[in-house]
Amino acid sequence: MKKPFLALTLATSVFALSACNSGDEVVVSTSYGDISKDEFYNDIKKLAGNALLEQVVIEQILESKYKVTDEEVDEQFKAVKEQYGDSFESVLSSNGLTEEAFKDNVRFSLLQEKALAEDVTDEQIEKYYNQGKYELNARHILVADEETARNVKEKLNAGEDFAALAKEYSTDGSASNGGELGWFTVGSMVDEFNDAAYALEVNEISEPVQTQYGYHIIQVTDKREVKDYGTLEEKEDEIRKALAQKGDWQSKVVELVKEAKVDIKDKDLKTALDHYTATEEKASDDKAAEDEKATEDEKSDK
């Protein structure tokens, strides 16, 4: 979700420069000749024009629609700086950044967060809150395919030992410990695993749950309340931010670009945002294909 620090700074400065009236104005003068604004702009276009224009357009859209205060930027900046500690200056140096350039990236990240946060629903917040009131202790068996997962589940249903089956079948590091995962809180696991685990009663064993890692069979072995968790009202902003960070940024940008009705005047940069409009067109084509298939199925049923 984050964008490169250097790209943001470079994009802003280069395209601000191109907006100036006089293209003949000299940017650099050397003993071998001068480099004008037009020459500089055209060279930048050749090197990375599409990518830089994309960043500038998206940044403009975000800044027009969402508000991030200097206080918010400073607060986040301080938090990141404290996180890096004594290595912060070397991180800036290795990336060719100043603190101001770093803050530009922080501002952009906060704008992204606010854009995604507006799509978070009250129902999602309430679900997250109700899960977050509890910590779970669980174990799992992770396998590569559904057939193996079904086979393992049948063995469990027949009374075979969970820990022994985890050691025999599980493909991750928890296998040697009988699949034990220890205590975890809401959001610690991938969404599919998280929701499946929080839906279980203590000692209940799940059906196979597919995630990006494979197929899990989950057993919650204990559950406890989180001390001083707070009310829904107290936790709402924190939860909204947590859910926003899980949002689909690509889909959000497609929506924002469409809404902005972007018209690129420079013919050399016409394709800068094509991958966003192409995404939208693909989604439209997929929907049309689904509708057509549904119509054909309906006719065949008749």
Side-chain angles (χ1 to χ4, degrees):
M1 192 169 120
K2 309 297 184 187
K3 71 187 297 184
F5 298 124
L6 187 56
L8 172 61
T9 307
L10 181 59
T12 303
S13 58
V14 168
F15 284 95
L17 177 66
S18 72
C20 296
N21 292 327
S22 176
D24 293 331
E25 186 176 336
V26 173
V27 176
V28 177
S29 180
T30 75
S31 58
Y32 300 102
D34 298 333
I35 300 174
S36 70
K37 286 184 177 179
D38 274 349
E39 289 172 327
F40 183 59
Y41 172 67
N42 288 329
D43 283 344
I44 288 294
K45 277 202 306 183
K46 292 174 186 176
L47 288 171
N50 281 358
L52 295 180
L53 182 61
E54 173 192 337
Q55 292 182 39
V56 171
V57 170
I58 292 171
E59 183 184 10
Q60 183 187 61
I61 292 171
L62 291 175
E63 288 184 338
S64 299
K65 284 182 63 68
Y66 308 102
K67 177 68 174 176
V68 170
T69 66
D70 291 341
E71 290 74 19
E72 289 175 300
V73 172
D74 288 340
E75 181 181 350
Q76 183 67 22
F77 173 77
K78 288 175 183 176
V80 175
K81 189 173 182 179
E82 288 175 5
Q83 181 182 347
Y84 281 108
D86 294 338
S87 65
F88 182 69
E89 293 300 328
S90 63
V91 170
L92 290 182
S93 178
S94 63
N95 285 279
L97 296 171
T98 63
E99 288 196 357
E100 286 307 309
F102 189 93
K103 285 184 177 181
D104 282 341
N105 189 79
V106 169
R107 183 179 297 278
F108 187 87
S109 296
L110 291 172
L111 286 167
Q112 286 179 304
E113 183 181 286
K114 294 198 175 188
L116 290 167
E118 71 177 2
D119 294 333
V120 175
T121 66
D122 291 340
E123 290 76 16
Q124 289 174 312
I125 292 173
E126 186 173 0
K127 174 185 174 182
Y128 191 101
Y129 174 78
N130 288 332
Q131 292 179 346
K133 290 189 290 186
Y134 299 95
E135 291 178 313
L136 304 181
N137 196 314
R139 55 185 180 177
H140 78 148
I141 301 171
L142 174 63
V143 298
D145 60 90
E146 186 175 8
E147 182 179 355
T148 304
R150 295 283 176 199
N151 181 39
V152 172
K153 184 62 164 64
E154 288 178 7
K155 291 177 181 289
L156 289 167
N157 290 344
E160 292 195 36
D161 183 68
F162 193 106
L165 290 172
K167 290 177 181 178
E168 180 180 354
Y169 286 97
S170 201
T171 60
D172 77 334
S174 70
S176 61
N177 197 31
E180 293 290 343
L181 298 170
W183 289 97
F184 60 88
T185 58
V186 64
S188 301
M189 305 295 187
V190 293
D191 290 345
E192 300 89 346
F193 188 104
N194 179 90
D195 289 347
Y198 273 95
L200 294 172
E201 299 294 335
V202 173
N203 293 324
E204 182 181 2
I205 298 175
S206 74
E207 293 297 320
V209 176
Q210 185 179 10
T211 73
Q212 66 199 72
Y213 302 107
Y215 289 82
H216 308 253
I217 297 170
I218 308 164
Q219 184 181 37
V220 171
T221 55
D222 203 355
K223 182 177 182 178
R224 67 190 180 195
E225 289 190 21
V226 175
K227 187 178 180 182
D228 300 325
Y229 185 63
T231 65
L232 177 58
E233 291 74 19
E234 292 169 339
K235 302 288 288 185
E236 183 174 355
D237 287 345
E238 176 188 329
I239 293 172
R240 189 178 295 277
K241 288 179 181 179
L243 291 172
Q245 290 176 357
K246 295 173 176 286
D248 185 345
W249 177 240
Q250 180 72 15
S251 296
K252 188 63 182 179
V253 175
V254 169
E255 173 192 323
L256 292 171
V257 168
K258 178 184 178 182
E259 182 184 279
K261 299 179 181 178
V262 179
D263 180 15
I264 300 172
K265 306 296 185 183
D266 189 323
K267 62 181 178 59
D268 296 327
L269 299 171
K270 278 288 187 184
T271 61
L273 298 176
D274 275 5
H275 55 290
Y276 295 120
T277 55
T279 300
E280 180 189 274
E281 289 167 4
K282 182 179 184 303
S284 178
D285 290 343
D286 290 346
K287 179 66 168 61
E290 288 177 9
D291 292 344
E292 184 178 349
K293 184 178 185 303
T295 302
E296 290 174 356
D297 292 343
E298 187 177 338
K299 288 179 179 177
S300 64
D301 290 341
K302 293 178 180 177

